[in-house]
Amino acid sequence: MRVVIHATAEAAGLAAADLIARKIQQRPRAVLGLATGSTPLAVYRELARRHREEGLDFSQVTTFNLDEYVGLPGTHPQSYRYFMEEHLFRHLNVRPERTHVPDGRALDFDRHCESYERQISQAGGIDLQLLGIGTDGHIAFNEPGSSLGSRTRVKTLAGETIRDNARFFGGEDQVPRMAVTMGVGTILDSRQCLLLALGEHKARAIRDTVEGPVTAQVTASALQLHRDVVVILDEAAASLLARREYYDQVERVRQELELAQADRAVR
Ligand code: PGA
């Protein structure tokens, strides 16, 4: 795992956006895995700005979102389809038929989940998966105890997640109890994962994810098994990491190597 710590949440968000933008520049037909929640908001603002001001082209990009609440239509202001349209898609030139969010109102969820997995494979798999993390250590809606081999399916939300998300719904009793979510196994199949965490309330989950054992009790810890993960944090989210100095040292060495490479390329 590469752990990159930025002084502020804003800088961390910009760094995450930069990684995504570079992926699209390298590979205009990139397949992106996208996330919702407060964490990616600054990332999406920056991607929209780059599209508007710098012409970052999303016309060939395909997207797959991690999850959706069961029962909410895409027109519901708290649905994740609505969130994505509002905060990202309508600001880009992405083709609507290339944006995928699980359907919270599918008539047959087993079939819908199978078809979601199939669509990801048919698109060639996810090149870069953006992830947030829950205070209980979940990625997507893979709550503690989820199988680390799980695929897209319907999952019951944990009490902690319902409490965390009550602020968007105006009360705990308004939060849906279930969600359709990519599984941990689905996420691990992505070629690269980018986990972004901001704020002190994420510090414990980040410590457990990065430095704890791999356990289904903290589903994000399964990312330790992935070959290409970048964890981007602000100072607050990084505050409980024991090996902080080492992560900074690795980044310094990387930067020196990149500078040396750039220098060689110029000569
Ligand atoms: P947040 O949610 O970005 O709103 O903190 C993250 C998550 O629950 O995965």
Side-chain angles (χ1 to χ4, degrees):
M1 272 181 171
R2 178 178 165 204
V3 181
V4 190
I5 301 157
H6 289 270
T8 62
E10 199 194 341
L14 288 180
D18 194 55
L19 212 130
I20 297 170
R22 265 190 285 151
K23 177 66 70 188
I24 297 167
Q25 280 156 354
Q26 280 161 8
R27 194 173 152 74
R29 297 177 65 85
V31 179
L32 301 179
L34 298 176
T36 49
S38 357
T39 308
L41 282 174
V43 179
Y44 294 159
R45 261 198 309 275
E46 174 63 8
L47 289 175
R49 188 197 68 75
R50 289 204 188 195
H51 169 65
R52 200 175 54 243
E53 294 176 14
E54 296 169 16
L56 182 64
D57 181 18
F58 288 78
S59 62
Q60 298 182 70
V61 167
T62 299
T63 69
F64 286 93
N65 264 76
L66 289 168
D67 43 19
E68 178 62 283
Y69 289 113
V70 165
L72 300 194
T75 49
H76 189 289
Q78 293 311 330
S79 76
Y80 286 165
R81 164 57 78 177
Y82 189 94
F83 176 103
M84 291 309 298
E85 297 292 341
E86 203 52 29
H87 295 289
L88 189 65
F89 299 152
R90 74 185 181 90
H91 305 284
L92 308 176
N93 63 337
V94 65
R95 303 231 312 254
E97 66 276 18
R98 290 212 176 139
T99 68
H100 305 85
V101 181
D103 181 2
R105 302 242 291 182
L107 291 176
D108 179 337
F109 278 106
D110 285 347
R111 277 182 61 176
H112 178 59
C113 293
E114 265 172 44
S115 137
Y116 203 68
E117 290 273 339
R118 206 167 37 246
Q119 283 178 295
I120 295 173
S121 315
Q122 282 168 354
I126 292 171
D127 292 306
L128 175 57
Q129 176 66 61
L130 175 63
L131 298 161
I133 187 169
T135 55
D136 64 2
H138 70 208
I139 39 173
F141 274 128
N142 295 290
E143 300 290 23
S146 293
S147 155
L148 300 186
S150 51
R151 311 301 306 186
T152 304
R153 69 217 183 288
V154 171
K155 198 63 205 164
T156 301
L157 305 192
E160 193 167 338
T161 301
I162 290 172
R163 279 191 295 281
D164 284 349
N165 291 356
R167 65 189 195 279
F168 299 115
F169 285 87
E172 272 180 42
D173 54 339
Q174 303 295 310
V175 183
R177 274 7 194 194
M178 290 188 294
V180 193
T181 178
M182 275 188 207
V184 180
T186 320
I187 292 167
L188 291 180
D189 281 350
S190 312
R191 286 182 197 92
Q192 187 178 30
C193 291
L194 163 53
L195 175 63
L196 177 63
L198 309 172
E200 204 183 341
H201 61 303
K202 299 293 174 70
R204 187 177 50 95
I206 284 298
R207 180 197 59 200
D208 293 349
T209 296
V210 176
E211 297 178 341
V214 174
T215 166
Q217 295 310 311
V218 179
T219 54
S221 68
L223 293 172
Q224 291 178 28
L225 300 170
H226 193 281
R227 60 193 284 178
D228 191 354
V229 179
V230 186
V231 181
I232 297 183
L233 307 170
D234 65 358
E235 284 288 350
S239 57
L240 295 179
L241 290 174
R243 307 195 68 224
R244 162 67 197 267
E245 243 171 71
Y246 178 68
Y247 310 133
D248 288 346
Q249 188 186 333
V250 170
E251 284 312 300
R252 274 197 301 275
V253 172
R254 280 184 80 101
Q255 277 168 13
E256 279 166 25
L257 284 174
E258 273 172 26
L259 280 177
Q261 259 167 9
D263 194 36
R264 265 202 303 279
V266 171
R267 282 183 209 182

